[in-house]
Amino acid sequence: MTTRPPADIGMPAAEIDTPALVVDLDAYERNLDRMAASLAGTRLRLRPHAKTHKSPVVGLQQVARGAVGVCCQKVSEAEAMVNGGVRNVLVTNEIVGPRKLARLASLARQAEVGVCVDDPQNVRDLDAAARAFGVRLPVLVEVNVGANRCGVEPGEPAATLARQVAAQPGLRFAGLQAYQGRAQHIQDVEKRREAIDLAIAKVRESVDALSRAGLPCEAVTGAGTGSYRFEAASGVYTEIQAGSYIFMDADYKKVEGFPSEFENALFVLATVMSRATRDRAVVDAGLKAFSVDSGMPVVQGRPDLEVQRASDEHGVLLLRDPAAPVRVGDRLFLIPGHCDPTINLHDWYVGIRGGRVEALWPIAARGAVV
Ligand SMILES: Cc1ncc(COP(=O)(O)O)c(C=O)c1O
């Protein structure tokens, strides 16, 4: 179920109804090309994270530029990708519960679908589900490389679980999942490098333990927009999972170093609906149009305006200069603080180029949290 799009193909961008999630197609395509170019000529595979965009249309554009497939975080997200034509999906997460495992195993009959584990009982349950559906699931052991989220500890614990995976008839041990999520937004580039160096050392320790156990490690996958160059240069990672690079957001723009080569390509277009006082204006986009977990949106090209707070349907702007030209009816492009949860609030991407609406893409996995 989706709502009607807030625009029509071909209409001037000035007529898009608001609030709307707008993609600057030129900037977005440059971001896709930059990532593809930065990995070209290496043996690294790009498997971008679809938790960012939640759209098989975007996933297929990434595949067209050389990505091997996409990552997902949820079974329902993976279903949306496969149903939309993406042929290779890695669920970079632990999937628990009989209903979800059945959906995952059934999906693996239609496409290459891998999954991660960090628990022996979960390995047995996955094996049973895979055999019930007559598939052999690729399974990666998730290693805790410093994020302290999911994942077994590096070294022997990783090898022990990998041995168990390799012994199940319905499963195939397919490598290590090693994502250091807490390093991605460390602003200082050297501090970020230090955090990823520690992660790389934990991966090496795990690959060595696997090798002692006689288990070849065909893939080490991880990395995000903030750190991917470090993992790419490590010699141990084989696959890059960056997601946000396609759109960027206000928070990622504060991260120093190489992520800054990517451009802000995603905006919440909003209309000023009130200018009742000298120093305040209000737009028609609030908490239901953008997330605030990583801070308020930034108004594109308007340093004289600050989004001060948001309620459900209102965004309150402080005029840093009371003489700032802001009138009721003005349209503002807000750069969201955090792209992923903002996208999950919308049903449609409105793609614009040269001042016109060129594309309307449904956000097929919007709300796919199961
Ligand atoms: C497992 C995993 N891989 C990759 C990413 C992509 O990170 P980013 O959007 O920072 O590029 C994420 C994001 O949270 C993630 O959870």
Side-chain angles (χ1 to χ4, degrees):
M1 284 276 289
T2 54
T3 53
R4 249 192 295 158
D8 295 312
I9 301 281
M11 75 165 33
E15 291 174 15
I16 298 169
D17 212 349
T18 63
L21 190 67
V22 170
V23 176
D24 173 342
L25 293 172
D26 287 329
Y28 158 75
E29 287 168 9
R30 283 193 293 270
N31 288 343
L32 290 178
D33 291 341
R34 276 190 194 108
M35 179 58 87
S38 86
L39 299 181
T42 72
R43 288 165 58 198
L44 287 152
R45 305 193 305 174
L46 176 63
R47 182 187 289 281
H49 218 302
K51 74 189 272 292
T52 299
H53 54 70
K54 287 179 163 283
S55 157
V57 177
V58 175
L60 289 172
Q61 292 180 10
Q62 293 172 313
V63 169
R65 284 167 170 83
V68 289
V70 300
C71 302
C72 288
Q73 213 74 308
K74 297 287 185 165
V75 175
S76 51
E77 229 171 49
E79 287 169 339
M81 293 301 136
V82 171
N83 292 339
V86 179
R87 309 303 313 151
N88 189 328
V89 176
L90 171 63
V91 179
T92 57
N93 213 351
E94 283 65 19
I95 300 300
V96 174
R99 187 168 179 265
K100 288 190 177 71
L101 292 180
R103 284 170 67 171
L104 184 81
S106 143
L107 197 64
R109 293 188 68 89
Q110 296 175 52
E112 174 86 0
V113 177
V115 68
C116 295
V117 292
D118 71 357
D119 177 75
Q121 183 57 48
N122 189 222
V123 171
R124 287 189 282 275
D125 293 344
L126 263 175
D127 176 55
R131 284 191 287 130
F133 281 86
V135 293
R136 192 148 177 252
L137 275 180
V139 172
L140 289 88
V141 169
E142 180 162 10
V143 182
N144 175 17
V145 290
N148 296 333
R149 196 166 66 174
C150 298
V152 292
E153 288 306 297
E156 286 308 325
T160 303
L161 196 62
R163 245 192 313 259
Q164 190 201 342
V165 171
Q168 310 302 314
L171 310 181
R172 178 171 70 77
F173 172 60
L176 299 177
Q177 163 73 15
Y179 174 66
Q180 211 319 9
R182 284 168 81 173
Q184 300 307 317
H185 292 257
I186 298 176
Q187 289 182 16
D188 180 276
V189 71
E190 282 314 315
K191 293 210 169 75
R192 202 157 71 248
R193 184 198 300 274
E194 280 165 27
I196 298 299
D197 281 349
L198 286 175
I200 291 167
K202 290 172 198 278
V203 171
R204 284 215 170 89
E205 190 188 336
S206 308
V207 173
D208 290 347
L210 287 173
S211 150
R212 285 195 299 277
L215 286 171
C217 183
E218 67 182 57
V220 176
T221 181
T225 303
S227 73
Y228 79 97
R229 291 251 177 124
F230 302 137
E231 284 94 340
S234 69
V236 288
Y237 277 78
T238 63
E239 207 171 82
I240 298 297
Q241 298 180 353
S244 302
Y245 73 96
I246 57 171
F247 295 140
M248 298 297 280
D249 52 37
D251 198 50
Y252 245 132
K253 269 290 170 190
K254 294 184 205 148
V255 173
E256 292 161 8
F258 50 85
S260 64
E261 70 185 334
F262 299 109
E263 302 170 50
N264 286 116
L266 184 84
F267 306 91
V268 173
L269 180 60
T271 301
V272 175
M273 61 184 199
S274 164
R275 173 75 213 273
T277 64
R278 252 169 60 81
D279 62 350
R280 193 171 67 231
V282 182
V283 291
D284 60 356
L287 297 174
K288 292 179 185 170
F290 52 76
S291 77
V292 296
D293 57 295
S294 300
M296 288 293 155
V298 170
V299 187
Q300 165 87 334
R302 294 296 302 264
D304 53 341
L305 303 177
E306 176 187 336
V307 184
Q308 202 179 34
R309 60 196 156 87
S311 50
D312 285 359
E313 286 88 9
H314 298 79
V316 179
L317 306 186
L318 174 75
L319 277 61
R320 290 190 175 117
D321 170 5
V326 191
R327 280 183 217 90
V328 168
D330 283 358
R331 294 152 71 78
L332 299 172
F333 285 83
L334 310 182
I335 302 170
H338 189 183
C339 52
D340 301 25
T342 296
I343 291 162
N344 194 45
L345 296 168
H346 294 263
D347 286 324
W348 293 93
Y349 289 112
V350 179
I352 60 171
R353 195 182 326 256
R356 290 208 167 262
V357 175
E358 181 180 303
L360 292 170
W361 301 330
I363 302 175
R366 183 246 169 116
V369 294
V370 174

